[in-house]
Amino acid sequence: MPGETSDIYRAYAPFYDGSGQIRFAVLFANYLLGDILPRHPVAGRRALDLACGTGTLALILADAGWSVAGVDRSPAMIAIARSRAQSMDAAIRPHFIEADIRCLWQETMHVEHGDSAEALRRGSFDLVTCTYDSLNYMLTEEDLAACFSTAAEALASEGLFVADMNTRHFLEHDWGEVEIIERAGFIQVNRSHFDPETACSTMRLIGFVGDDDSGYERFEEVHIERAYPPETVASLIAAAGLAVTAVYDCFTTQPIGERTQRIAWVARKR
């Protein structure tokens, strides 16, 4: 769940990849490169990853020959992404920029990260991605619409927008109420509650960092995700100027059903 509000992921960011979250980005990269793009090809190789988190998807795309920029509002996540990118050749290294994806162009009008202004040029991207629940963190239709508008403005003509969202079925029925993750020096406890009236799932993440000898330091974060009806999402994507070309049961190329846990949205800028 890449960070989209500055209040979350501040303490969790150093443990994000190690707690197993990195697996999703790797799976989605394989899905994107192996299934989505062969079915929905694009003309060029410029990609923008919105809510990029620690940068795994962006780094995989860069390694596959794409020119990539990644954006996230969490300073802690962006710092990790930039650190990871240092191991890559400078010629293919992604640009990672701290900004809010709801108002990306306003926040980056005066960026001071070298050639990042060129890296974020409007209308220059062949592919825009936004993955791993990031859009579920948009708790109002206005915020969700703003993200779709950002993607539309970023895309070149015939460019592709690929995103995923958790469904209500998943948040309400399949996301367990309690999860415990243990790693060396780190324990994570997640407690979740779904509110049927708001279609929001609230997860309280409690982390313990340390060891049995010196003790543990505790931190806590609250993550809220909202589920949207597919009809609402499709309408907001269209209102942003994108044409929905496919709606998949995520990680497959099959249509969605009543028990679909995650939807992959594919839309093109006409």
Side-chain angles (χ1 to χ4, degrees):
M1 296 174 286
E4 264 314 301
T5 61
S6 57
D7 292 334
I8 59 175
Y9 292 103
R10 183 170 49 201
Y12 183 44
F15 311 100
Y16 181 86
D17 289 338
S19 66
Q21 307 293 352
I22 196 172
R23 291 177 297 180
F24 184 93
V26 174
L27 287 172
F28 201 93
N30 291 335
Y31 178 52
L32 177 67
L33 296 172
D35 292 313
I36 299 295
L37 289 175
R39 286 172 172 261
H40 307 275
V42 295
R45 309 270 292 182
R46 293 203 72 217
L48 172 64
D49 187 23
L50 300 175
C52 65
T54 58
T56 300
L57 178 57
L59 293 168
I60 292 174
L61 289 175
D63 196 51
W66 290 73
S67 175
V68 187
V71 176
D72 200 289
R73 190 181 178 184
S74 166
M77 298 291 254
I78 282 293
I80 292 172
R82 288 174 178 164
S83 177
R84 295 176 67 196
Q86 292 305 306
S87 63
M88 301 186 73
D89 187 283
I92 64 171
R93 186 180 301 154
H95 295 270
F96 289 112
I97 298 158
E98 180 189 329
D100 190 326
I101 65 174
R102 293 166 294 188
C103 49
L104 177 60
W105 311 114
Q106 295 92 319
E107 289 200 356
T108 56
M109 286 178 63
H110 306 291
V111 291
E112 298 178 357
H113 299 295
D115 56 348
S116 293
E118 174 62 22
L120 282 179
R121 186 161 48 89
R122 297 190 201 193
S124 66
F125 293 96
D126 307 289
L127 173 68
V128 173
T129 56
C130 189
T131 68
Y132 206 4
D133 307 13
S134 296
L135 293 174
N136 292 104
Y137 278 78
M138 301 298 111
L139 302 183
T140 69
E141 290 188 17
E142 291 76 14
D143 281 347
L144 187 58
C147 293
F148 295 147
S149 294
T150 292
E153 288 188 64
L155 286 168
S157 179
E158 298 299 319
L160 201 68
F161 176 53
V162 180
D164 72 70
M165 295 185 73
N166 279 328
T167 64
R168 177 173 181 137
H169 178 84
F170 175 72
L171 293 182
E172 185 170 9
H173 300 292
D174 296 337
W175 198 347
E177 293 184 1
V178 179
E179 179 185 26
I180 299 175
I181 300 172
E182 294 188 54
R183 298 286 187 274
F186 180 68
I187 301 171
Q188 176 180 334
V189 181
N190 302 333
R191 296 183 61 90
S192 300
H193 169 73
F194 182 80
D195 184 343
E197 292 188 5
T198 62
C200 288
S201 180
T202 300
M203 182 185 76
R204 190 173 300 277
L205 186 160
I206 302 174
F208 300 90
V209 184
D211 55 54
D212 293 342
D213 295 328
S214 58
Y216 289 83
E217 181 178 347
R218 181 184 185 277
F219 68 85
E220 184 173 330
E221 296 181 349
V222 175
H223 297 250
I224 304 175
E225 296 191 22
R226 179 180 173 185
Y228 290 88
E231 298 80 10
T232 299
V233 177
S235 177
L236 293 175
I237 290 175
L242 302 172
V244 175
T245 56
V247 183
Y248 295 127
D249 191 325
C250 197
F251 299 116
T252 79
T253 54
Q254 300 301 310
I256 63 174
E258 292 183 359
R259 295 182 176 275
T260 293
Q261 295 184 328
R262 184 183 299 275
I263 297 175
W265 292 92
V266 183
R268 197 175 291 277
K269 184 172 182 180
R270 301 300 189 186

